[in-house]
Amino acid sequence: MLVDLHNHVLPGLDDGPTSELEAMLLIQNAVKNGVTHIVATPHHRNGQFNQDANEIKNSIHVLNSLLQEREIPVTILSGMEVHLHGEFMEELETEILTLADSMKYILIEFPTQHIPQFTESIFYELQLKGFIPIIAHAEKNTEIRRHPKKLLDLVNKGALVQVTASSVCGENGKELKKFALKLCQHQMVHFIASDAHDVKKRPFLIQQAYLVIQRKLGNEMVKYYQRNANHVVDGVEFVTLPPRLVETV
Ligand SMILES: [Fe+2]
Protein backbone atom coordinates (compact mmCIF):
# COMPACT_ATOMS: atom_id res chain seq x y z
CA MET A 1 0.00 0.00 0.00
CA LEU A 2 1.41 3.40 -1.01
CA VAL A 3 -0.74 6.36 -0.04
CA ASP A 4 -0.73 9.93 -1.34
CA LEU A 5 -2.46 12.20 1.17
CA HIS A 6 -2.60 15.48 -0.71
CA ASN A 7 -3.48 16.03 -4.36
CA HIS A 8 -6.04 17.53 -6.69
CA VAL A 9 -7.08 14.68 -9.01
CA LEU A 10 -10.85 15.23 -9.11
CA PRO A 11 -12.00 16.79 -12.40
CA GLY A 12 -13.71 20.18 -12.51
CA LEU A 13 -13.76 20.87 -8.76
CA ASP A 14 -10.75 23.14 -8.29
CA ASP A 15 -7.52 24.05 -10.09
CA GLY A 16 -6.79 20.37 -10.77
CA PRO A 17 -7.83 18.53 -13.97
CA THR A 18 -10.57 20.20 -16.01
CA SER A 19 -11.91 16.99 -17.56
CA GLU A 20 -12.29 13.30 -16.75
CA LEU A 21 -9.65 12.53 -19.37
CA GLU A 22 -7.12 14.82 -17.69
CA ALA A 23 -8.00 13.31 -14.33
CA MET A 24 -7.39 9.79 -15.66
CA LEU A 25 -3.99 10.86 -17.05
CA LEU A 26 -3.04 12.30 -13.69
CA ILE A 27 -4.20 9.17 -11.86
CA GLN A 28 -2.15 7.05 -14.23
CA ASN A 29 0.81 9.24 -13.35
CA ALA A 30 0.15 8.33 -9.68
CA VAL A 31 0.03 4.63 -10.55
CA LYS A 32 3.38 4.94 -12.33
CA ASN A 33 4.72 6.36 -9.06
CA GLY A 34 3.55 3.22 -7.29
CA VAL A 35 0.63 4.93 -5.53
CA THR A 36 -2.19 2.52 -4.61
CA HIS A 37 -4.42 4.87 -2.58
CA ILE A 38 -5.07 8.49 -3.55
CA VAL A 39 -6.72 10.62 -0.89
CA ALA A 40 -8.24 13.36 -3.05
CA THR A 41 -8.06 16.77 -1.36
CA PRO A 42 -9.79 19.52 -3.36
CA HIS A 43 -9.29 23.08 -2.10
CA HIS A 44 -11.91 24.26 0.36
CA ARG A 45 -12.39 27.85 1.51
CA ASN A 46 -9.21 29.15 -0.13
CA GLY A 47 -10.95 32.29 -1.40
CA GLN A 48 -11.47 30.74 -4.81
CA PHE A 49 -12.95 27.31 -4.24
CA ASN A 50 -15.59 26.06 -1.83
CA GLN A 51 -16.42 22.39 -1.98
CA ASP A 52 -19.56 20.51 -1.21
CA ALA A 53 -18.74 17.26 0.58
CA ASN A 54 -21.39 15.33 -1.38
CA GLU A 55 -20.03 16.60 -4.68
CA ILE A 56 -16.57 15.34 -3.73
CA LYS A 57 -17.95 11.93 -2.74
CA ASN A 58 -19.93 11.65 -5.99
CA SER A 59 -16.92 12.57 -8.10
CA ILE A 60 -14.84 9.92 -6.31
CA HIS A 61 -17.55 7.31 -6.84
CA VAL A 62 -17.59 8.00 -10.59
CA LEU A 63 -13.79 7.86 -10.85
CA ASN A 64 -13.48 4.67 -8.81
CA SER A 65 -16.06 2.94 -11.05
CA LEU A 66 -14.10 4.02 -14.13
CA LEU A 67 -10.84 2.80 -12.60
CA GLN A 68 -12.38 -0.57 -11.77
CA GLU A 69 -13.81 -0.91 -15.27
CA ARG A 70 -10.40 -0.21 -16.76
CA GLU A 71 -8.66 -2.41 -14.19
CA ILE A 72 -6.37 0.40 -13.06
CA PRO A 73 -5.00 -0.68 -9.67
CA VAL A 74 -5.65 2.38 -7.53
CA THR A 75 -8.39 3.53 -5.15
CA ILE A 76 -9.49 7.13 -4.61
CA LEU A 77 -10.49 8.13 -1.09
CA SER A 78 -12.11 11.35 0.07
CA GLY A 79 -10.59 14.39 1.72
CA MET A 80 -10.21 18.14 1.50
CA GLU A 81 -7.46 20.71 1.77
CA VAL A 82 -9.15 23.21 4.07
CA HIS A 83 -7.81 26.76 4.13
CA LEU A 84 -7.62 27.83 7.76
CA HIS A 85 -10.36 30.39 8.40
CA GLY A 86 -12.15 31.94 11.36
CA GLU A 87 -15.33 29.86 11.06
CA PHE A 88 -13.43 26.57 10.91
CA MET A 89 -14.95 25.11 14.07
CA GLU A 90 -18.52 26.05 13.07
CA GLU A 91 -18.09 24.25 9.74
CA LEU A 92 -16.37 21.22 11.19
CA GLU A 93 -19.40 18.98 11.64
CA THR A 94 -21.27 19.95 8.49
CA GLU A 95 -18.86 20.90 5.72
CA ILE A 96 -15.41 19.54 6.35
CA LEU A 97 -14.23 16.12 5.18
CA THR A 98 -11.55 14.32 7.18
CA LEU A 99 -8.83 12.46 5.28
CA ALA A 100 -9.97 9.02 4.07
CA ASP A 101 -13.09 9.26 6.27
CA SER A 102 -10.78 8.80 9.25
CA MET A 103 -12.89 11.20 11.36
CA LYS A 104 -9.53 12.13 12.82
CA TYR A 105 -7.07 13.66 10.37
CA ILE A 106 -7.74 17.02 8.67
CA LEU A 107 -5.48 18.56 6.03
CA ILE A 108 -5.16 22.29 6.75
CA GLU A 109 -3.63 24.95 4.52
CA PHE A 110 -2.21 28.22 5.86
CA PRO A 111 -2.04 31.41 3.80
CA THR A 112 1.26 31.56 1.87
CA GLN A 113 2.76 34.45 3.82
CA HIS A 114 1.84 33.93 7.46
CA ILE A 115 0.46 31.70 10.19
CA PRO A 116 -2.97 33.05 11.22
CA GLN A 117 -3.28 34.35 14.79
CA PHE A 118 -6.08 31.93 15.61
CA THR A 119 -4.15 28.82 14.48
CA GLU A 120 -3.20 27.67 17.94
CA SER A 121 -6.67 28.07 19.42
CA ILE A 122 -8.37 26.30 16.50
CA PHE A 123 -5.83 23.46 16.63
CA TYR A 124 -6.40 23.19 20.38
CA GLU A 125 -10.18 23.01 19.98
CA LEU A 126 -9.81 20.48 17.18
CA GLN A 127 -7.61 18.26 19.31
CA LEU A 128 -10.02 18.49 22.24
CA LYS A 129 -12.60 16.97 19.90
CA GLY A 130 -10.22 14.17 18.93
CA PHE A 131 -9.08 15.53 15.56
CA ILE A 132 -5.46 15.83 14.46
CA PRO A 133 -4.53 18.75 12.18
CA ILE A 134 -2.03 18.11 9.38
CA ILE A 135 -0.32 21.27 8.12
CA ALA A 136 -0.22 21.14 4.31
CA HIS A 137 3.02 22.01 2.45
CA ALA A 138 4.61 23.64 5.52
CA GLU A 139 7.78 24.45 3.57
CA LYS A 140 5.86 26.89 1.36
CA ASN A 141 4.84 29.22 4.19
CA THR A 142 7.05 32.33 4.47
CA GLU A 143 6.57 32.78 8.24
CA ILE A 144 7.48 29.14 8.87
CA ARG A 145 10.62 29.51 6.76
CA ARG A 146 11.62 32.64 8.71
CA HIS A 147 10.66 31.26 12.12
CA PRO A 148 10.81 27.45 12.06
CA LYS A 149 10.37 27.46 15.83
CA LYS A 150 6.74 28.47 15.29
CA LEU A 151 6.25 25.22 13.40
CA LEU A 152 8.12 23.35 16.11
CA ASP A 153 5.71 24.79 18.71
CA LEU A 154 2.70 23.58 16.73
CA VAL A 155 4.27 20.13 16.30
CA ASN A 156 5.07 19.94 20.01
CA LYS A 157 1.40 20.65 20.65
CA GLY A 158 0.30 17.74 18.46
CA ALA A 159 0.01 19.06 14.90
CA LEU A 160 1.45 16.94 12.08
CA VAL A 161 3.30 18.25 9.05
CA GLN A 162 3.25 17.43 5.34
CA VAL A 163 5.85 18.61 2.85
CA THR A 164 5.52 18.46 -0.90
CA ALA A 165 7.26 15.84 -3.02
CA SER A 166 8.10 18.43 -5.69
CA SER A 167 9.80 20.66 -3.09
CA VAL A 168 11.91 17.72 -1.90
CA CYS A 169 12.88 17.09 -5.53
CA GLY A 170 13.92 20.72 -6.09
CA GLU A 171 11.12 21.53 -8.56
CA ASN A 172 10.07 24.55 -6.47
CA GLY A 173 13.57 26.01 -6.24
CA LYS A 174 16.70 25.52 -4.18
CA GLU A 175 15.45 27.37 -1.10
CA LEU A 176 12.34 25.23 -0.71
CA LYS A 177 14.29 22.03 -1.33
CA LYS A 178 16.85 22.95 1.29
CA PHE A 179 14.21 23.96 3.82
CA ALA A 180 11.97 20.93 3.17
CA LEU A 181 14.93 18.59 3.67
CA LYS A 182 15.99 20.45 6.79
CA LEU A 183 12.52 19.99 8.27
CA CYS A 184 12.73 16.28 7.40
CA GLN A 185 16.18 15.99 8.92
CA HIS A 186 14.97 17.61 12.13
CA GLN A 187 12.04 15.23 12.35
CA MET A 188 9.40 17.90 12.00
CA VAL A 189 7.83 16.21 8.96
CA HIS A 190 5.38 13.33 9.14
CA PHE A 191 4.26 12.94 5.54
CA ILE A 192 5.54 13.48 2.02
CA ALA A 193 2.67 14.04 -0.43
CA SER A 194 2.43 15.12 -4.04
CA ASP A 195 -0.01 18.07 -4.09
CA ALA A 196 -0.31 16.97 -7.74
CA HIS A 197 -2.52 19.16 -9.94
CA ASP A 198 -1.69 18.17 -13.52
CA VAL A 199 0.62 15.84 -15.40
CA LYS A 200 2.78 18.50 -17.02
CA LYS A 201 3.40 21.21 -14.42
CA ARG A 202 2.59 19.57 -11.08
CA PRO A 203 2.78 15.77 -11.38
CA PHE A 204 3.01 13.21 -8.56
CA LEU A 205 6.83 12.95 -8.19
CA ILE A 206 6.35 10.73 -5.14
CA GLN A 207 8.83 8.08 -6.21
CA GLN A 208 11.49 10.68 -7.02
CA ALA A 209 10.96 12.41 -3.66
CA TYR A 210 11.32 9.14 -1.75
CA LEU A 211 14.57 8.47 -3.64
CA VAL A 212 15.91 11.85 -2.51
CA ILE A 213 14.87 11.11 1.11
CA GLN A 214 16.45 7.66 0.89
CA ARG A 215 19.71 9.14 -0.35
CA LYS A 216 19.83 11.98 2.18
CA LEU A 217 18.20 10.45 5.27
CA GLY A 218 18.13 6.70 4.71
CA ASN A 219 15.50 4.11 3.92
CA GLU A 220 14.08 4.05 7.45
CA MET A 221 12.75 7.59 6.98
CA VAL A 222 11.10 6.60 3.70
CA LYS A 223 9.37 3.74 5.49
CA TYR A 224 8.41 6.07 8.36
CA TYR A 225 6.65 8.52 6.03
CA GLN A 226 4.91 5.73 4.14
CA ARG A 227 3.78 4.03 7.34
CA ASN A 228 2.45 7.31 8.75
CA ALA A 229 0.30 7.86 5.65
CA ASN A 230 -1.04 4.31 5.95
CA HIS A 231 -2.04 5.03 9.56
CA VAL A 232 -4.04 8.06 8.40
CA VAL A 233 -5.97 5.90 5.95
CA ASP A 234 -6.54 3.36 8.71
CA GLY A 235 -7.74 6.19 10.98
CA VAL A 236 -5.45 5.23 13.84
CA GLU A 237 -3.10 7.32 15.96
CA PHE A 238 0.61 6.61 15.77
CA VAL A 239 3.86 7.42 17.50
CA THR A 240 5.96 10.09 15.82
CA LEU A 241 9.69 10.73 16.02
CA PRO A 242 10.49 13.56 18.47
CA PRO A 243 11.09 16.87 16.67
CA ARG A 244 14.24 18.93 17.01
CA LEU A 245 14.76 22.66 16.55
CA VAL A 246 15.76 23.92 13.11
CA GLU A 247 17.77 27.11 12.80
CA THR A 248 16.61 29.74 10.29
CA VAL A 249 17.87 29.13 6.75
FE1 LIG B 1 -2.97 21.33 -2.45
Side-chain angles (χ1 to χ4, degrees):
M1 175 156 143
L2 186 72
V3 176
D4 185 56
L5 283 183
H6 178 179
N7 56 73
H8 303 262
V9 296
L10 303 180
L13 290 189
D14 60 4
D15 53 349
T18 52
S19 65
E20 208 168 81
L21 178 67
E22 277 183 27
M24 290 307 273
L25 286 173
L26 187 55
I27 291 165
Q28 273 166 341
N29 175 240
V31 174
K32 277 189 198 139
N33 272 263
V35 175
T36 59
H37 294 74
I38 298 173
V39 183
T41 53
H43 289 290
H44 181 64
R45 284 287 224 143
N46 73 343
Q48 201 183 354
F49 301 106
N50 257 340
Q51 301 298 335
D52 176 66
N54 286 325
E55 210 176 323
I56 293 176
K57 295 243 174 183
N58 287 341
S59 173
I60 289 171
H61 181 71
V62 171
L63 274 185
N64 274 333
S65 307
L66 260 174
L67 291 166
Q68 266 183 0
E69 255 172 49
R70 298 183 191 180
E71 296 181 0
I72 299 171
V74 67
T75 305
I76 320 273
L77 303 163
S78 61
M80 266 181 186
E81 177 181 14
V82 189
H83 195 88
L84 193 60
H85 59 281
E87 296 84 47
F88 194 98
M89 293 313 292
E90 290 78 52
E91 289 187 359
L92 183 62
E93 310 290 340
T94 51
E95 289 188 39
I96 289 170
L97 285 176
T98 56
L99 295 181
D101 278 327
S102 57
M103 298 313 289
K104 183 168 282 298
Y105 295 98
I106 302 179
L107 184 67
I108 296 177
E109 179 187 47
F110 291 162
T112 318
Q113 302 294 330
H114 71 284
I115 304 169
Q117 293 278 328
F118 45 73
T119 301
E120 223 181 285
S121 65
I122 289 182
F123 279 17
Y124 178 71
E125 280 186 64
L126 271 178
Q127 288 174 86
L128 279 183
K129 287 178 179 282
F131 294 98
I132 299 176
I134 299 177
I135 301 166
H137 43 62
E139 83 284 2
K140 290 189 174 174
N141 181 281
T142 312
E143 192 174 344
I144 291 177
R145 283 203 304 281
R146 286 197 185 128
H147 307 284
K149 190 172 179 308
K150 293 187 180 178
L151 183 67
L152 179 69
D153 289 344
L154 291 170
V155 171
N156 278 334
K157 288 176 181 158
L160 299 178
V161 173
Q162 174 254 315
V163 301
T164 317
S166 55
S167 297
V168 170
C169 295
E171 295 292 315
N172 301 322
K174 277 185 187 165
E175 187 197 354
L176 288 201
K177 177 174 180 167
K178 195 176 164 193
F179 186 66
L181 284 170
K182 187 153 268 194
L183 290 179
C184 291
Q185 192 184 5
H186 290 250
Q187 297 175 178
M188 284 161 68
V189 174
H190 308 92
F191 313 99
I192 309 292
S194 73
D195 198 8
H197 280 67
D198 65 89
V199 181
K200 282 187 185 153
K201 288 186 196 143
R202 297 173 78 177
F204 269 81
L205 291 178
I206 279 283
Q207 211 171 55
Q208 206 178 314
Y210 280 138
L211 278 174
V212 173
I213 302 277
Q214 188 181 30
R215 234 180 23 241
K216 303 260 184 197
L217 303 168
N219 203 34
E220 276 313 303
M221 285 308 281
V222 174
K223 286 191 202 156
Y224 171 71
Y225 296 135
Q226 294 179 350
R227 235 180 5 243
N228 290 349
N230 293 356
H231 290 320
V232 169
V233 167
D234 292 338
V236 295
E237 289 190 29
F238 55 93
V239 179
T240 56
L241 295 171
R244 300 178 289 201
L245 177 64
V246 182
E247 70 275 20
T248 310
V249 289

